[in-house]
Amino acid sequence: MNTISPDRSGPLALFSQRLEGVAGAERQQAVAALQRVGLPSRRVEAWKYTALRALGQTSLAAPAATYDVMAARAVLDDVLAAQDTLAGLPRLVFVNGRHAPELSVLSEAIKVTFFVDTLRFGTAAAPDRDPLVALNTALAEDGAQMQVEAGVDAGALLLLSIGLGGQDSTFSFHPRHAVVLEAGARLALLCVQAGQGAYFHNPVTDISVGNGAALEHVTLQLEGDAAVSLGTVYANVAGEGVYDSFALGVDGLLLRHEVHARLGASRAAVHVNGVQRLGATQVGDMTSVITHAAPDCISRQTVRNVLDGHARGVFQGKVLVEQIAQKTDGYQMNQALLLSPDAEIDAKPELEIYADDVRCSHGATVGALDDEQLFYLRSRGVPEAQARQMLIEAFLDETLALIAHEGAQALCRAMLARKGGVGASA
């Protein structure tokens, strides 16, 4: 039997009852890793700006085996109504971390198995290095494992994760997803995380993009108002493959979207872009580590934040260029628009380069709405609220245009429009 060390009195103690007695070698190794290091505190460099206080102090149990079907369907209908083209897409729906077949519509072009049946954890994720992945490894119950065969264009798939919480964050779920694109395959994966109330959502996604394959991966964090969502993505990209990632953070008490992407062979490309539109006391964290492990590869990263109230945004982006990765072309930019004197952005772009024939750049900018532009619009009869909205739209529009899939881009714009971030059309 595994016993959690008594000195782990922080967030890890919330899971102590569930971690005791987990079965299986991989799960036990994950628990052992958690025993050694606990869950991350702000003393850990990668979590310097993001505390886990939002998890609360109540033990986080497993969700109930049943759920409110009408409430889950209402969340699904709300997402589909935001962009009418989504209704015709195949979809995989999970409620509180478990597959909901009655809400799902499978695709013939994608081979789908489920973690609950296979217990395959994948090879890219590293529980010994990342405590949140270790926690997922120990407690994962279900998840989708998606495979597209060589040369197949599978179109688009909606992966919807619904959290149905209560007034207090008393349960957590830890989906374990995997995506495998064989050589020359193509897929647009739209991951929508939506919900109601309070819960802890800790998904891990293991991605493999084969030679010449292309994955567009769009993640929308539309969690419950009191929810905590800490997602981790590992992506390995083979020669001439493309991993095109975009994350939108809108709803939730604490949001973190962390991407580890590795360019493993020549002429691979990785894009890790995103937008955060936060207000009140929300905290949003976009963290990435892009590793160039082969020559002649490209990476691009553009993240923009619009922060109001007492919201705090975090951007941590690291580009690591190994010695073998000559002819690397890497670009990274984070920009933040602060709408309140109480809003805060913590930006930490990094380059770590061991090759000598590269072209890499990074940067960060922080500012407020331009008073001259605001005055110009108001002097032409535009009301102040509308003028502010127009400037916010202009700030975000260029980044949203990086989403190639029209339906996914339209959905992001619609959700931002609800938040007061950007109009529903380009």
Side-chain angles (χ1 to χ4, degrees):
M1 176 178 292
N2 297 306
T3 302
I4 301 304
S5 301
D7 60 331
R8 303 303 181 197
S9 57
L12 186 58
L14 303 178
F15 305 93
S16 58
Q17 293 182 353
R18 294 172 65 185
L19 291 173
E20 291 180 358
V22 298
E26 287 176 292
R27 293 187 190 272
Q28 290 176 347
Q29 290 171 7
V31 172
L34 287 169
Q35 289 177 327
R36 289 193 299 271
V37 300
L39 291 182
S41 70
R42 297 181 72 168
R43 292 190 296 271
V44 177
E45 182 63 26
W47 291 82
K48 179 178 179 180
Y49 304 109
T50 304
L52 298 182
R53 290 190 300 269
L55 289 177
Q57 298 180 339
T58 305
S59 294
L60 294 168
T66 60
Y67 64 90
D68 186 335
V69 177
M70 293 186 63
R73 191 172 292 278
V75 174
L76 169 62
D77 291 343
D78 183 61
V79 172
L80 297 180
Q83 172 52 35
D84 53 10
T85 62
L86 298 181
L89 295 181
R91 61 179 180 262
L92 289 169
V93 181
F94 289 77
V95 180
N96 292 345
R98 299 187 180 99
H99 179 226
E102 65 276 11
L103 302 177
S104 301
V105 180
L106 299 184
S107 168
E108 295 182 357
I110 305 170
K111 180 182 178 181
V112 179
T113 55
F114 296 95
F115 177 82
V116 68
D117 300 318
T118 66
L119 298 181
R120 289 202 302 263
F121 288 96
T123 58
D128 57 334
R129 186 176 65 224
D130 188 331
L132 270 299
V133 174
L135 184 65
N136 177 286
T137 302
L139 299 179
E141 293 187 346
D142 206 352
Q145 300 174 336
M146 299 151 278
Q147 181 175 356
V148 182
E149 294 183 348
V152 173
D153 186 343
L157 173 69
L158 174 63
L159 177 62
L160 175 59
S161 179
I162 299 174
L164 298 177
Q167 296 300 316
D168 299 311
S169 184
T170 58
F171 71 87
S172 67
F173 50 98
H174 310 259
R176 191 66 171 234
H177 302 304
V179 183
V180 176
L181 268 59
E182 298 181 358
R186 303 183 68 86
L187 174 66
L189 180 62
L190 282 57
C191 296
V192 179
Q193 302 167 2
Q196 303 170 350
Y199 51 84
F200 173 36
H201 183 199
N202 177 34
V204 170
T205 306
D206 192 333
I207 294 171
S208 175
V209 179
N211 292 321
L215 175 64
E216 183 174 5
H217 184 200
V218 179
T219 301
L220 287 80
Q221 293 177 303
L222 313 171
E223 306 280 12
D225 291 342
V228 174
S229 180
L230 308 175
T232 308
V233 177
Y234 284 84
N236 282 325
V237 187
E240 300 183 352
V242 177
Y243 175 60
D244 189 354
S245 167
F246 189 97
L248 173 67
V250 175
D251 293 320
L253 183 62
L254 169 60
L255 305 172
R256 181 175 169 113
H257 184 74
E258 181 172 341
V259 177
H260 298 258
R262 185 177 187 274
L263 300 102
S266 296
R267 294 185 294 279
V270 164
H271 309 143
V272 183
N273 304 311
V275 163
Q276 293 189 113
R277 178 65 172 98
L278 307 174
T281 58
Q282 289 179 284
V283 176
D285 181 334
M286 289 192 175
T287 292
S288 64
V289 179
I290 302 173
T291 301
H292 287 256
D296 297 299
C297 293
I298 295 173
S299 67
R300 295 285 184 269
Q301 184 166 27
T302 300
V303 175
R304 292 193 177 181
N305 311 270
V306 177
L307 307 172
D308 206 347
H310 289 79
R312 185 159 56 86
V314 178
F315 170 78
Q316 298 181 106
K318 180 177 182 178
V319 176
L320 170 61
V321 183
E322 297 182 354
Q323 187 172 3
I324 194 176
Q326 305 296 335
K327 306 293 184 182
T328 284
D329 183 354
Y331 170 81
Q332 184 183 79
M333 175 60 73
N334 172 241
Q335 295 173 297
L337 183 61
L338 304 184
L339 305 181
S340 162
D342 298 313
E344 176 183 332
I345 180 71
D346 297 299
K348 191 178 72 170
E350 295 181 78
L351 297 176
E352 186 173 340
I353 301 172
Y354 297 96
D356 55 14
D357 186 5
V358 302
R359 182 173 62 183
C360 293
S361 63
H362 66 177
T365 65
V366 181
L369 289 175
D370 191 306
D371 289 336
E372 291 187 5
Q373 293 177 350
L374 193 60
F375 175 79
Y376 175 86
L377 291 172
R378 295 193 65 192
S379 68
R380 278 147 182 81
V382 180
E384 181 177 359
Q386 184 179 350
R388 289 169 62 88
Q389 182 68 12
M390 291 172 65
L391 294 177
I392 294 171
E393 290 180 13
F395 177 73
L396 293 179
D397 189 73
E398 183 179 354
T399 306
L400 292 169
L402 298 173
I403 306 173
H405 189 275
E406 292 182 2
Q409 185 181 140
L411 178 61
C412 289
R413 292 179 180 277
M415 293 306 177
L416 281 167
R418 293 183 182 182
K419 185 83 171 185
V422 72
S425 61

